[in-house]
Amino acid sequence: RPRILSGAQPTGALHIGNWLGAIRNWAELQHSHETFLCVVDLHAITAAHDPIELLKNTRTTAALYLACGIDPEHSTVFIQSHISAHSELCWLLNCVTPLNWLERMIQFKEKSIKQGNNVSIGLLDYPVMMAADILLYNADFVPVGEDQKQHLELARDIAQQRINSRFGNPEKPIFKVPQALIMKEGARIMSLSDGRNKMSKSDPDINSRITLLDNPDLVTKKIKRAKTDSTIGLEFGNPSRPEADNLLTIYAILSGKGMEVASLECAEMGWGTFKRILTEAIVSALHPIQTKYKELMNDPKYLDDILRKGSLKACMVADETLGRVQDALGFLRKE
Ligand code: TYM
């Protein structure tokens, strides 16, 4: 079976962008793929962080994976920092990755503008750690939102140009070269406050996103405030109406109606009516996730057990790959 690997940062409650763009795809793919899913806590400290929040969010994020339908019978769920091979491989990759490949990463450029003088080496190195995450598990596919496309390209380039072609031989490549898997619909959910910006965990405006843990009142409030325009009727693909496109996309997916039916249903609908049915669709889609989440948080031992088993399995795969790379690079094996 082909293998997938993916992950999300524990930097706050996951939002519907994470879910629609990535996690729901994991839940689907786990039935036909060997699946590795990690909570990327090492990535979460690339910007200033609060230790108490990190600790809390790491558990929350793992619990939300499961609440979204990730089934430990089908998927290996683990915490990135539990597997030391991630940091070790990252160093090896650091030493072959050209600095200018990292300096031109869009996400680095955007984040470093915001952080001014506080940009860490870790922020620059973020995509190399991500390449290590993926390459350690010989992943065939990496299901992610559209914003991660460039990072995937970088992982491929490092694998092919900097490791396989330099240190491997064509019959026996060191790394499998992974491919991004990006959903046709929902791969880029936009902010509720501005349809031209991506919905993001790090946006200081909490009304710009709906998290998977928002209660019905909060969802109602946020959708009421969501930016609209002065045109009546919802539509897809009109570049001057990014909010209409985004909210209709969310509705189409979460109502289960799909793009065609949703666009017919809402073509002449006023914003007030639309916001009401959108709110209902979101609230009822989140309900089962929140119910499952509460159960999981009431049983910490169950979650710990899954994470422990996940680490054991992940560790075996990761250590094997790391050993292969160390050999190829000429490191003396410890006896
Ligand atoms: P993170 O935590 O930012 O996002 C987790 C996943 O959600 C997707 N996503 C979105 N999809 C649609 N619309 C949005 N507005 C939106 N915002 C986020 C992301 O594309 C991602 O798939 N770098 C990764 C974490 C990572 C990783 C990896 C992923 C670290 N190592 C290895 C795959 C493989 C990230 O930014 O996650």
Side-chain angles (χ1 to χ4, degrees), residues 9 17-18 43 126 130 133 144-145 147-148 187 189 199 201:
Q9 296 186 69
N18 300 127
H43 279 109
Y126 182 113
M130 182 164 159
D133 300 339
V144 282
D147 60 338
Q148 297 302 312
I189 298 293
M199 184 177 285
K201 279 185 233 128

Side-chain angles (χ1 to χ4, degrees), residues 5-11 14-23 26 38 40 43 80 107 111 126 129-131 133-134 142-148 151-152 186-191 198-201:
L5 174 128
S6 201
Q9 296 186 69
T11 38
L14 296 170
H15 54 65
I16 56 171
N18 300 127
W19 184 38
L20 299 182
I23 299 171
W26 308 347
C38 57
V40 294
H43 279 109
Q80 182 191 35
Q107 219 161 67
K111 288 192 183 169
Y126 182 113
M129 178 60 94
M130 182 164 159
D133 300 339
I134 298 165
V142 184
V144 282
E146 190 170 272
D147 60 338
Q148 297 302 312
H151 289 160
L152 249 295
R188 192 172 172 81
I189 298 293
M190 308 309 279
S191 154
K198 194 181 68 174
M199 184 177 285
S200 156
K201 279 185 233 128

